[in-house]
Amino acid sequence: MPSGAQKAGTKLRMKRDEMMRRIKSRTTPWDIIIIGGGAVGAGVAVDASSRGFDVLLVEREDFGKGTSSRSTKLVHGGVRYLEQGNISLVMEALKERGLLLRNAPHIVHDLPFVVPNYSWWEAPFYGIGMKVYDLLAGKYNFGRSRIMSLTETMERLPTIQREGLRGGVLYHDGQFDDARLLTHLIATAVDHGATAVNYVEAVEALKDDQGFLSGMIIEDREAHERLAVHAKVFVNATGIFTDETRRLAQPDAKSMVSPSQGIHLVLDRSFLTGDNAIMVPRTSDGRVLFAIPWHDRTLVGTTDTAIGEPSYEPLALEEEIEFVLDTARDYLSRPPSRADVLSIYVGIRPLVSAPGGGQGKTSALSRGHTIHIDESGLMTIVGGKWTTYRHMAEDCVDHAITLGGLPDAPCVTADLKIHGYHPNAGELGTLAVYGTDAEKIREIASENPRLAEKLHPDLPYIAAEIVWSARCEMSRTLDDALARRTRALLLNARATHAIAPRVARLLAEELGRDETWIAAQVKCFTALAKQYILGPAAEPTAGGRA
Ligand SMILES: Cc1cc2nc3c(=O)[nH]c(=O)nc-3n(C[C@H](O)[C@H](O)[C@H](O)COP(=O)(O)OP(=O)(O)OC[C@H]3O[C@@H](n4cnc5c(N)ncnc54)[C@H](O)[C@@H]3O)c2cc1C
C-alpha cells in the first residue's frame, strides 16, 4: 500500500480522460469505491486517499450538483442547536470550523454576525447564549462575542431597520464558498492518488455467492458505456439520493432519509453594506434566518420545508419566497422586492430518519450523522452538515477499515492542508478562493488578452477562469463552469444567462466540442438559468431536473 504522502508527490490534475483511463485499465479491486461526489463523498475520498488507500469516487452528475453547492455558505457550530441543547453537536461543529479555517484559509474566513435586538430581553438572553457558544469553541474560537450599544450596532449594520432597535449581540462564525471547497477537496484527493470522476453513475450492484456486494456496474454518462468495478468496501455517500442507492444493493431497503428543502435569495450588496452578517434567531414562525455578505452580494435564507421526492433542481414554493422577503423587510431599511432578486437557489437537506428495523446494523456515531451497513455490506453515510464533513469522513473510513479488512492507518486530515492552501489569499484579489492555483489562472490570462477580460460587467469572473475550470477542474458543461467552478449563476442569473454563448465557446475550444454541442449547451443552460430568475408571483421559479 503506497502511503498518501508518497502519492502526494506525484501531483495529478483533475483530468477526466485520465480518470476514465485509470478506471478502465484497473485489474485489481480498489480498496474503497465511493458513490457520490458531494461534501461527504469528497471528504471520504480525501480521508481514505491521504491514509494511503486506493480510492475511486464516482459522481453521476457534477461534483456538488446535489446539496453541497446550495448551502447557506456557513461553517458554523449552529447557534440553533445550542438553543435545542444539542451541546455535543455544537462542540463537534465548532472544532471542525476551527480545523477548516486552519487547513483551507483561502476558502474559509471569519465573519462577524450581529443579532439585532428590538426587545429588552434579547440582549441578555442572546448575550449569554453567545458566551456559551464562545466557551464551547474553546481554543477554536473565532472571536469573542459581546453585547453592543445601539450606536455600534448601527455602525456595523448601516442598512438595519432602525425603528425600535435597541442594540445588538456580536458573535463570530465561519463563511465559505461551498462548491469551491468541494472542488478543492476533490483536487486534494486526486493529489493523494485518488481517482475521481464526474458524470459516472453507479447503476447496478454485483454480489458474490453469499450475497455480499463485490462490485458495481457504473455508467459513463458521456460515452454511454457501462463497465464493472470492484472494491473491498463500497461507500454510499449520495445524500438525498441515499435510499435510491441503497436499493441497488437491497431492493426492499426502507427509507432512511427525509428530504427537507431550503431556499436562498441573492440580492445586491447595497441591501446589506458593511462587513457584518445579520442573524435573526427567531422568525415569525420560529426559524433562524440569515442575511450575509457573500461574493459582494447579499444572501438571504433559508427555509425548512419537508418535501416528497428528492430532485436536483427543486421548486421554490411561493410561501417560501414570500416568507424570506417578508422577514428580510422586517430587518432591512430598504425593503427588498421580487424585482431585486438577482438569483434564487434551492437545496435539499438529507435529514436522517430511523432506518427500517431489523435490516442491518445502524450506528449513530454522533447526533449529527449516521453510518449504516446493510446486509450486503454496503456502507451508507448520511446526515451531518457541510461543516462536519471531515469528522464524518474520518468515522466512515475508520469503519471501512474494519468492514473491508483494510490495513489500519491513522486519519491525518485534522492537519491536512486543502488543495490551494494559501495563508494570505486576500492578496490574490478576486482569485483568492483559488489559493495557489490563482497563479496558474493568471498564466492562462497572459496567454491571450481576451482571456484576461471580464465575462460580464456585473460578474467578477474573467474568461481564464472558465478555461482553467475545463483544463484542470473537470468542468464538462456550462452548468459546471457557471454554477459551481465559478458561482456566476448564483450571483446574477440574468447576467449569467447573457454570457452563456461566449462561455460555451470557451469550453468547446478546451474540450474539443463542435457547434452542435455549443447550441445544445446554450439551450439547456438557458432553461436552467430561467429557474434561477425570480419572475412575477404566479410564474414558476425553479423546477425540473436539469
Ligand atoms: C438550504 C440548505 C442550507 C444549508 N446550509 C448549510 C450551512 O450553511 N452550513 C453547513 O455546514 N451545512 C449546510 N447545509 C447542509 C449541507 O449542505 C449538507 O449536509 C451537505 O451538502 C450534504 O452533502 P452530501 O455529500 O451528503 O450530499 P450531496 O451534496 O447531495 O452529494 C450527493 C451526491 O451523490 C450523487 N449521486 C446520487 N446517486 C448517485 C449514483 N447512483 N452514482 C453516483 N453518484 C450519485 C449526487 O449526484 C450528489 O452529487 C445546508 C443544506 C441546505 C439544504
Side-chain angles (χ1 to χ4, degrees):
M1 184 179 69
S3 77
Q6 273 174 317
K7 287 179 174 178
T10 52
K11 292 243 161 151
L12 295 152
R13 286 261 159 244
M14 290 168 63
K15 305 260 189 208
R16 193 174 185 280
D17 292 351
E18 164 64 11
M19 298 295 162
M20 288 311 302
R21 195 195 56 71
R22 284 200 224 164
I23 297 171
K24 287 178 183 164
S25 61
R26 183 89 191 182
T27 51
T28 52
W30 303 81
D31 289 328
I32 302 178
I33 291 182
I34 302 154
I35 307 163
V40 177
V44 175
V46 170
D47 186 298
S49 60
S50 61
R51 293 194 205 205
F53 295 121
D54 264 332
V55 175
L56 169 63
L57 180 150
V58 293
E59 162 55 53
R60 76 172 163 195
E61 293 279 329
D62 181 34
F63 306 117
K65 174 71 180 178
T67 308
S68 297
S69 58
R70 300 156 189 276
S71 78
T72 311
K73 327 300 182 200
L74 299 179
V75 180
H76 61 160
V79 175
R80 186 160 53 108
Y81 306 112
L82 189 63
E83 215 182 328
Q84 293 166 357
N86 200 337
I87 301 294
S88 61
L89 182 64
V90 177
M91 281 183 80
E92 174 197 332
L94 287 171
K95 180 182 171 196
E96 292 302 320
R97 181 188 76 165
L99 295 180
L100 201 44
L101 178 67
R102 193 171 75 192
N103 295 327
H106 52 310
I107 308 174
V108 179
H109 63 93
D110 166 38
L111 182 64
F113 284 75
V114 176
V115 183
N117 301 156
Y118 292 90
S119 302
W120 67 268
W121 58 269
E122 288 176 310
F125 183 78
Y126 294 116
I128 291 169
M130 294 312 173
K131 280 283 166 237
V132 175
Y133 200 62
D134 290 353
L135 279 172
L136 293 178
K139 67 175 180 175
Y140 298 105
N141 201 3
F142 277 23
R144 287 162 72 100
S145 66
R146 62 190 165 82
I147 294 171
M148 295 186 301
S149 66
L150 175 61
T151 311
E152 189 183 351
T153 303
M154 291 192 304
E155 276 167 13
R156 283 187 175 266
L157 299 175
T159 54
I160 188 78
Q161 175 59 260
R162 294 181 177 197
E163 203 183 317
L165 186 68
R166 302 169 75 100
V169 175
L170 175 75
Y171 76 100
H172 293 258
D173 241 326
Q175 184 184 39
F176 76 136
D177 182 326
D178 49 12
R180 285 299 323 165
L181 178 59
L182 185 61
T183 303
H184 289 245
L185 287 176
I186 297 285
T188 307
V190 170
D191 288 345
H192 284 83
T195 299
V197 66
N198 51 5
Y199 297 102
V200 170
E201 178 172 7
V203 291
E204 193 184 325
L206 303 173
K207 294 189 185 168
D208 65 17
D209 299 345
Q210 290 160 328
F212 286 114
L213 192 60
S214 61
M216 279 271 171
I217 302 289
I218 58 171
E219 181 172 319
D220 177 350
R221 297 184 58 210
E222 287 193 355
H224 304 290
E225 274 173 22
R226 288 188 171 203
L227 66 148
V229 288
H230 299 272
K232 293 168 190 156
V233 182
F234 288 85
V235 173
N236 168 15
T238 54
I240 51 174
F241 304 102
T242 289
D243 293 324
E244 182 191 323
T245 308
R246 287 176 62 225
R247 286 177 194 132
L248 293 177
Q250 195 180 336
D252 63 347
K254 295 214 173 79
S255 300
M256 63 187 289
V257 170
S258 307
S260 153
Q261 81 175 23
I263 75 156
H264 295 88
L265 304 181
V266 181
L267 307 170
D268 189 76
R269 185 75 161 87
S270 57
F271 283 92
L272 181 71
T273 55
D275 296 327
N276 294 247
I278 299 175
M279 197 273 255
V280 179
R282 192 170 292 274
T283 57
S284 56
D285 61 354
R287 296 175 189 160
V288 173
L289 196 107
F290 294 98
I292 301 169
W294 188 67
H295 288 320
D296 209 26
R297 302 288 188 280
T298 301
L299 193 68
V300 191
T302 180
T303 52
D304 198 338
T305 312
I307 56 160
E309 287 303 303
S311 64
Y312 282 99
E313 295 291 345
L315 277 165
L317 304 178
E318 270 308 312
E319 57 256 39
E320 290 183 296
I321 297 165
E322 286 311 319
F323 166 77
V324 173
L325 281 175
D326 279 348
T327 311
R329 284 177 197 130
D330 286 346
Y331 289 88
L332 300 176
S333 55
R334 194 174 131 215
S337 70
R338 296 176 80 98
D340 295 312
V341 175
L342 298 172
S343 184
I344 174 170
Y345 67 91
V346 188
I348 306 177
R349 296 173 192 85
L351 299 182
V352 183
S353 49
Q359 289 202 351
K361 190 177 165 230
T362 302
S363 58
L365 297 172
S366 87
R367 293 165 81 178
H369 67 269
T370 293
I371 289 181
H372 176 84
I373 301 165
D374 77 11
E375 287 161 1
S376 74
L378 175 67
M379 181 183 284
T380 291
I381 176 155
V382 65
K385 54 185 186 165
W386 235 122
T387 308
T388 55
Y389 83 90
R390 192 210 63 84
H391 182 223
M392 293 174 72
E394 181 177 348
D395 275 343
C396 179
V397 177
D398 284 349
H399 279 65
I401 287 173
T402 309
L403 182 67
L406 298 171
D408 213 356
C411 172
V412 297
T413 55
D415 295 313
L416 188 76
K417 292 185 170 54
I418 304 299
H419 179 97
Y421 173 90
H422 191 303
N424 303 307
E427 65 196 34
L428 302 169
T430 56
L431 299 180
V433 78
Y434 296 95
T436 52
D437 285 342
E439 175 82 26
K440 291 161 202 137
I441 297 170
R442 287 206 187 115
E443 278 168 24
I444 294 173
S446 66
E447 284 172 14
N448 174 341
R450 288 192 52 236
L451 296 181
E453 283 170 11
K454 267 182 100 177
L455 289 166
H456 192 282
D458 294 338
L459 291 167
Y461 304 110
I462 58 171
E465 290 173 77
I466 304 298
V467 173
W468 164 258
S469 82
R471 280 187 198 166
C472 296
E473 292 183 340
M474 256 190 254
S475 251
R476 309 297 294 177
T477 69
L478 273 178
D479 180 24
D480 303 347
L482 293 172
R484 289 171 297 279
R485 303 306 183 280
T486 71
R487 312 311 308 275
L489 185 60
L490 274 61
L491 299 186
N492 190 326
R494 285 183 182 84
T496 306
H497 178 225
I499 62 172
R502 181 170 169 205
V503 173
R505 207 155 282 284
L506 285 167
L507 287 176
E509 275 167 29
E510 288 302 317
L511 302 173
R513 308 289 196 221
D514 60 12
E515 291 294 328
T516 314
W517 184 87
I518 293 175
Q521 279 292 308
V522 172
K523 187 175 174 205
C524 184
F525 188 76
T526 297
L528 180 70
K530 279 187 183 152
Q531 297 166 9
Y532 286 70
I533 295 171
L534 184 58
E539 285 184 15
T541 50
R545 182 174 150 173

